[in-house]
Amino acid sequence: MEKEYSILLYYCYAKIEDHEAYREQHHLFCIENNLRGRIIISPEGLNGTVSGLKEDCERYMTYVKSDERFADTEFKVEAHDRMAFAKLHVRVKPEIVHSSLNHINPRERTGVYVEPEEFREILKNESEDTVILDVRSNYEHHVGKFKNALTLDIDNFRDFPEKVKELDHLKGKKVVTYCTGGIKCEKASAYLLEQGFENVYQLHGGIIKYGMEAEGEDFEGKCYVFDNRITADVNSVNPTIISKCHITGERTDRMVNCANPECNAHIPMSEEAGWLMDGCCSEECRKNPSRRPYDGTGYYQKNTNHYNPLKGVKREPAKVN
């Protein structure tokens, strides 16, 4: 049965001088076209994950690309059987991905793009002169990563610059970075170049595009995503499970958020352990009086009662052509 909904993942580095006014216009367009998701607008560009009916998503892509500032935006489009978000958030932030690298403009200098099929060949033909570098956070690569990739012990992407200090021994090698959709690599690869790495590349479109165009071959585990799915299948050739249950140590690709909202850790947890621990990562969290009721999913959507998509809009919505 054909899936009626789409999930869009995209970013675009482009100067936005009127970012506050554009946020409002963008927000209104999403409301009027029944879209939900998380969108960041900043002086340096756009970053979003959006969900809606296929035809509504098509209108949204046309809307974004009709603005000459964002004409070259590349959308990763995945079919889905339902809306992937409960709410719409369109926010202004200093950066489109929090990096502590706001002095870097990927439009001026960044790593060379490697297309998915070329990346597949790099993975197949392992070489001591090539390093595959995962620039994502721990909770992301713990549930899935490329075969033989070098991962970094970081809790947030903003910690990446500090970790680069430990990679000096790789400066003579070809370094190919990757992330979920490509956005982090734009700045990560540019920063590597700035720090004296000379042979720097990046997987164009990230893990998601690689799954669509190269069948996800040799991606081990699942890809952590930032919508209600939590994780997504990528590999249709040689899939594996690499993550282990935080409680029992058994292999599982289930990801949950700890039921203690004061912790909210992203952890792999088997179904059995989930019920045993009431969705918590520890006894301490389990005994916390603020613990949320565990329903077997480990995903906790904020209360959507009285959800108002117009919250934050400064004027009544007008028809957007």
Side-chain angles (χ1 to χ4, degrees):
M1 184 176 179
E2 186 177 357
K3 297 179 179 179
E4 297 182 354
Y5 290 82
S6 294
I7 301 174
L8 309 179
L9 179 66
Y10 71 95
Y11 67 88
C12 181
Y13 282 99
K15 188 175 182 180
I16 306 178
E17 294 181 350
D18 56 342
H19 49 276
E20 290 284 357
Y22 183 68
R23 187 218 72 83
E24 185 176 352
Q25 177 193 349
H26 202 108
H27 190 164
L28 289 169
F29 184 90
C30 291
I31 292 169
E32 293 173 1
N33 287 277
N34 308 304
L35 297 164
R36 294 181 183 179
R38 299 186 184 99
I39 301 165
I40 296 172
I41 294 171
S42 92
E44 69 175 9
L46 305 174
N47 176 18
T49 309
V50 175
S51 177
L53 289 168
K54 284 184 176 181
E55 53 269 32
D56 294 329
C57 287
E58 288 289 339
R59 278 193 292 273
Y60 179 75
M61 289 187 283
T62 299
Y63 166 72
V64 171
K65 298 185 77 166
S66 65
D67 188 317
E68 63 180 12
R69 294 173 294 184
F70 320 122
D72 60 353
T73 302
E74 182 175 291
F75 288 89
K76 274 75 75 178
V77 184
E78 297 182 82
H80 200 41
D81 54 4
R82 57 188 178 277
M83 187 75 82
F85 292 94
K87 296 183 178 182
L88 170 68
H89 295 288
V90 186
R91 297 187 172 103
V92 169
K93 293 191 176 182
E95 297 177 276
I96 56 176
V97 60
H98 189 13
S99 67
S100 68
L101 296 172
N102 53 3
H103 68 286
I104 287 177
N105 182 357
R107 288 281 190 178
E108 295 175 353
R109 191 186 188 200
T110 191
V112 177
Y113 283 158
V114 173
E115 297 302 327
E117 283 297 344
E118 182 183 356
F119 189 79
R120 171 154 42 182
E121 291 304 311
I122 292 173
L123 292 174
K124 286 182 178 180
N125 301 298
E126 296 179 40
S127 169
E128 293 184 358
D129 296 325
T130 300
V131 176
I132 308 299
L133 178 62
D134 191 323
V135 304
R136 300 172 304 153
S137 304
N138 289 328
Y139 65 89
E140 297 173 88
H141 62 68
H142 282 170
V143 74
K145 66 180 187 65
F146 282 109
K147 181 181 70 173
N148 297 326
L150 173 62
T151 58
L152 303 175
D153 182 14
I154 56 176
D155 292 325
N156 297 283
F157 182 54
R158 63 178 176 269
D159 300 325
F160 176 77
E162 189 65 27
K163 275 293 174 180
V164 169
K165 296 176 183 178
E166 301 175 9
L167 304 179
D168 275 359
H169 61 290
L170 303 178
K171 284 187 174 178
K173 298 181 182 292
K174 177 179 180 178
V175 179
V176 187
T177 66
Y178 74 86
C179 60
T180 307
I183 185 171
K184 292 177 181 177
C185 286
E186 298 281 8
K187 286 200 171 184
S189 63
Y191 185 71
L192 289 171
L193 289 166
E194 183 182 84
Q195 296 304 303
F197 292 76
E198 297 180 355
N199 226 356
V200 182
Y201 299 77
Q202 58 178 307
L203 173 58
H204 188 201
I207 299 164
I208 299 300
K209 185 175 180 179
Y210 182 81
M212 294 174 175
E213 298 186 8
E215 304 172 290
E217 186 172 4
D218 289 331
F219 184 83
E220 301 173 331
K222 289 192 175 185
C223 181
Y224 190 96
V225 293
F226 299 88
D227 58 56
N228 291 6
R229 296 172 297 170
I230 302 180
T231 60
D233 291 319
V234 171
N235 190 334
S236 59
V237 178
N238 52 352
T240 58
I241 298 174
I242 65 168
S243 47
K244 294 183 179 180
C245 176
H246 182 76
I247 302 300
T248 67
E250 67 179 288
R251 289 191 178 274
T252 180
D253 56 10
R254 289 181 79 248
M255 284 290 286
V256 305
N257 287 352
C258 178
N260 174 12
E262 296 174 11
C263 172
N264 208 42
H266 306 284
I267 51 173
M269 185 177 287
S270 68
E271 187 170 357
E272 180 183 357
W275 290 113
L276 179 69
M277 295 295 294
D278 293 320
C280 293
C281 68
S282 66
E283 279 298 326
E284 182 181 0
C285 284
R286 191 181 181 200
K287 293 175 182 177
N288 190 297
S290 299
R291 175 172 59 84
R292 298 169 289 202
Y294 179 66
D295 65 359
T297 66
Y299 179 81
Y300 302 96
Q301 176 64 52
K302 291 181 180 179
N303 194 339
T304 57
N305 289 343
H306 312 298
Y307 164 58
N308 177 12
L310 287 169
K311 184 178 180 180
V313 174
K314 299 174 183 176
R315 57 183 171 81
E316 291 299 316
K319 190 67 179 178
V320 178
N321 294 325

